[in-house]
Amino acid sequence: MRDQSGSGAMTDQQRKQTNVQEVPSTITDAAEASGNRIEEGDFVTRNEEQDLVRGLHQRHISLIAIAGAIVGTTSLFLGLGGSIQTGGPLGALLGYAIVGLIVCAVQFALGEVVALLPVTSSFVRHAEFLIDPAVGFAVGYNLVYGNLLSIPTEITAICVLIQYWTDMNSALWIVVFIILTFVVGISFIGIYGEIEFWFALLKILFIVFLILLGLIIDLGGVPGTPRIGFRYWNRPGPFVEYIATGRWGQFLGFWAVMSNAVFSFAGVESIAMAAAETRNPRIAIPKACKRVFARVSIFYILAVLIVGMLVPSDDPRLDDQSGTAAQSPFVIAASAAGLHGVPSLVNAVVITSAWSSSNQALLSGTRVLYGLALKKQAPKIFLRTTSWGVPYICVLLNTAFMFLAFMSLSEGALTVFWWLVDLVACGVLISWITILTNHLRLVLAMKKQGIPLAELPWHSRWTEWSTPTALALCVVILFTAGFPVFTTGNWSASSFVSSYLDIALVTAAYAFWKLFKRTKFVALADIPLREAIDRAQQDPGVEVKVPLWRSIAGFLWD
């Protein structure tokens, strides 16, 4: 292991990699003469080129992106029942469809900016380049904080899921999964990519299996089971009244589903966190982002539709609070049809999904912290990497926080633990808002500077209207996510704090760095886009052509 400060001898290969990112002095001089702000940390730095290793391939990024979008957490397997119960089958379908479109807009916006600036910690550093360094600081530490708590959360969820089969002490399973998560995090990035690739493929194949199974059950394909069809859309009905009555109550049910659906897609934005460790990032990451749309439509929306057909919204079994497969609407339907092996199968796959989420949180948290250290917003010690390119001090810090999972063994500590986790729940929306704002600023700056959008390494005209629309929706959802606490008889101080305190924390972090460093809001005309575009044109990446048979076999990611 070594302390990477950018000094010391460089190998020929390292010089070659670094030279790819170097720009002729005429470009830099011209940018500086125009008054534009130029900092090495705005682009891929020598630390990233020398100390990190490009071990993630196109197939890793693409399949992880798709799996993150459709089953980023355990919510698809276990949580859809609650959405059906709150909004009804049609309310849940509309809610997830709209949020699915928001996710697609976020992915497209992220892909366009990453293609121009494929840096470690992704949109955190994009915010510094396009908006204000204080925004990058605030969002970066919000992500670090959120991921530090997300990993022990997932480990706790795994312990609950394992209790479906055995009463063995949870402390043992906490230790086992802390060790497993640490081993993946400290290993070569390619190992993480390979593990997540196969887990992602497993989750995708499993959701396809559940969709087909649900359709068979619904159509009466299981012997002894009557055809259900859209019976539950007629009674109890397509919508459910939530808090209020009538049309207003049905709308609130739909809106509650949409607010909850946001957190089902948590993690989709993390695919670009390791851009500097991805081969051909200007090609691989945008390609992964733009293919999310079709996959979300096929998998997630179909799953919500099938669940709304299988289980009535007033089914008391949806109130199961065990946190295991018993609460899954797929399991409820399969058990009613006499298919008793499905619960254990669902439970097993949900465990892999939860562990996959903890690995993803570890990657995201460590790379954001590394990126903050690159910008001198975190101690320099976090720049230390192993000989195989892993920021090991960042990994060790995240590993230390994994032991918070032991708080789940104490009822009182568990209450505090989940309260802390709830504080960062709206961090997902804050991240999406940052990504969309970054892209909007990029488009406006290009127009201000008279640079055609066609000069971007990757651009879709769809994003010119999808980005502002999705941004407006995200802001509205952010401020209305905790609306039940403002209704008569539903006030809860803990719910209010968990819904909105994170907004105050991010604002405070922004104000602190703004005052401490006296950062300035970057004017559209001063963003050094010309240099960024010239760098991208010099290093466009290499499009790898694959045989037709391989494209067909890998249709999910190629």
Side-chain angles (χ1 to χ4, degrees):
M1 299 181 180
R2 58 186 189 272
D3 186 347
Q4 307 298 345
S5 59
S7 61
M10 293 173 59
T11 65
D12 291 338
Q13 178 64 25
Q14 288 172 334
R15 286 194 187 91
K16 181 179 179 182
Q17 290 176 335
T18 303
N19 289 339
V20 169
Q21 299 300 329
E22 291 178 351
V23 178
S25 59
T26 53
I27 295 174
T28 305
D29 292 344
E32 289 177 343
S34 66
N36 286 358
R37 177 181 60 91
I38 303 226
E39 296 178 17
E40 183 191 21
D42 290 335
F43 306 105
V44 179
T45 63
R46 286 185 175 84
N47 283 85
E48 291 167 278
E49 286 294 340
Q50 295 174 22
D51 305 337
L52 303 179
V53 179
R54 295 190 182 277
L56 292 178
H57 295 260
Q58 164 74 54
R59 64 186 180 89
H60 294 149
I61 293 296
S62 292
L63 204 58
I64 291 169
I66 295 166
I70 62 171
V71 281
T73 64
T74 59
S75 57
L76 180 61
F77 298 120
L78 304 183
L80 280 184
S83 297
I84 298 295
Q85 195 175 35
T86 301
L90 182 55
L93 183 63
L94 291 174
Y96 276 86
I98 292 173
V99 175
L101 290 174
I102 293 175
V103 168
C104 293
V106 169
Q107 293 289 77
F108 271 59
L110 179 63
E112 288 196 10
V113 183
V114 169
L116 181 65
L117 300 166
V119 295
T120 299
S121 73
S122 181
F123 60 90
V124 174
R125 280 164 68 191
H126 297 163
E128 299 184 11
F129 181 77
L130 296 165
I131 309 173
D132 185 335
V135 174
F137 175 85
V139 174
Y141 273 100
N142 190 57
L143 281 167
V144 170
Y145 161 54
N147 285 302
L148 286 175
L149 291 177
S150 293
I151 305 171
T153 302
E154 297 295 347
I155 292 174
T156 299
I158 292 170
C159 294
V160 174
L161 291 163
I162 291 177
Q163 288 174 1
Y164 182 78
W165 295 310
T166 177
D167 293 329
M168 189 178 297
N169 195 316
S170 295
L172 172 64
W173 299 113
I174 290 174
V175 172
V176 167
F177 280 95
I178 285 177
I179 293 172
L180 288 174
T181 305
F182 169 75
V183 168
V184 173
I186 203 67
S187 299
F188 171 58
I189 187 68
I191 295 176
Y192 162 82
E194 207 61 41
I195 290 174
E196 288 303 293
F197 174 85
W198 290 106
F199 274 171
L201 188 59
L202 172 65
K203 289 186 286 186
I204 290 171
L205 292 176
F206 187 62
I207 191 57
V208 170
F209 163 74
L210 288 180
I211 289 172
L212 293 176
L213 176 65
L215 190 60
I216 291 171
I217 294 173
D218 183 76
L219 296 177
V222 177
T225 303
R227 183 180 183 277
I228 302 173
F230 284 90
R231 179 189 309 169
Y232 301 133
W233 285 54
N234 294 320
R235 180 177 293 183
F239 291 99
V240 171
E241 295 177 348
Y242 180 67
I243 296 179
T245 58
R247 298 289 186 185
W248 178 239
Q250 292 177 348
F251 173 79
L252 292 181
F254 151 74
W255 194 259
V257 167
M258 195 157 73
S259 299
N260 294 333
V262 168
F263 308 116
S264 298
F265 292 91
V268 296
E269 68 282 353
S270 65
I271 64 167
M273 287 300 179
E277 297 167 81
T278 303
R279 297 188 180 186
N280 295 317
R282 299 189 197 278
I283 296 174
I285 294 176
K287 185 179 289 186
C289 290
K290 71 182 181 181
R291 290 183 176 172
V292 166
F293 179 79
R295 274 59 173 191
V296 168
S297 300
I298 293 171
F299 295 114
Y300 227 124
I301 305 307
L302 270 178
V304 178
L305 175 63
I306 295 298
V307 166
M309 295 164 63
L310 288 175
V311 183
S313 57
D314 58 357
D315 192 315
R317 290 172 294 181
L318 294 175
D319 286 324
D320 189 293
Q321 300 297 318
S322 65
T324 66
Q327 72 182 91
S328 170
F330 292 108
V331 169
I332 292 172
S335 299
L339 305 176
H340 301 297
V342 173
S344 289
L345 182 60
V346 170
N347 210 59
V349 174
V350 173
I351 288 174
T352 67
S353 179
W355 187 46
S356 173
S357 295
S358 70
N359 290 335
Q360 187 181 56
L362 180 59
L363 179 78
S364 177
T366 54
R367 271 45 178 190
V368 170
L369 188 55
Y370 180 86
L372 289 170
L374 282 174
K375 297 291 291 184
K376 300 179 180 178
Q377 295 175 338
K380 189 178 179 180
I381 191 174
F382 291 114
L383 291 177
R384 294 183 180 181
T385 60
T386 63
S387 58
W388 53 91
V390 174
Y392 69 93
I393 299 297
C394 298
V395 173
L396 290 175
L397 176 66
N398 277 263
T399 302
F401 274 80
M402 292 182 200
F403 289 90
L404 286 176
F406 282 102
M407 294 177 70
S408 64
L409 303 180
S410 167
E411 185 175 349
L414 182 61
T415 301
V416 176
F417 174 56
W418 285 114
W419 187 74
L420 291 172
V421 170
D422 287 342
L423 290 182
V424 297
C426 68
V428 177
L429 281 166
I430 291 174
S431 294
W432 291 2
I433 288 170
T434 304
I435 291 170
L436 294 165
T437 304
N438 288 341
H439 181 260
L440 185 61
R441 292 273 300 172
L442 173 64
V443 172
L444 293 175
M446 293 193 71
K447 292 180 179 179
K448 180 76 173 181
Q449 297 180 27
I451 303 174
L453 292 174
E455 288 198 44
L456 287 172
W458 180 69
H459 174 64
S460 169
R461 293 191 61 83
W462 187 63
T463 60
E464 294 179 47
W465 62 267
S466 66
T467 290
T469 303
L471 178 59
L473 282 172
C474 283
V475 171
V476 172
I477 295 172
L478 176 66
F479 285 100
T480 60
F483 76 86
V485 301
F486 299 109
T487 58
T488 304
N490 291 307
W491 170 256
S492 167
S494 60
S495 296
F496 173 78
V497 169
S498 64
S499 296
Y500 296 109
L501 183 60
D502 200 46
I503 300 174
L505 293 176
V506 172
T507 303
Y510 171 80
F512 165 75
W513 198 252
K514 188 80 173 172
L515 296 173
F516 179 65
K517 287 293 185 178
R518 298 187 181 278
T519 63
K520 295 182 179 180
F521 195 82
V522 185
L524 294 175
D526 292 337
I527 299 173
L529 292 178
R530 186 73 268 164
E531 181 182 0
I533 291 171
D534 288 338
R535 287 183 180 229
Q537 290 174 346
Q538 289 180 6
D539 180 29
V542 180
E543 182 72 59
V544 179
K545 295 183 179 180
V546 297
L548 178 61
W549 68 267
R550 188 173 166 186
S551 296
I552 296 173
F555 74 98
L556 282 174
W557 60 88
D558 283 335

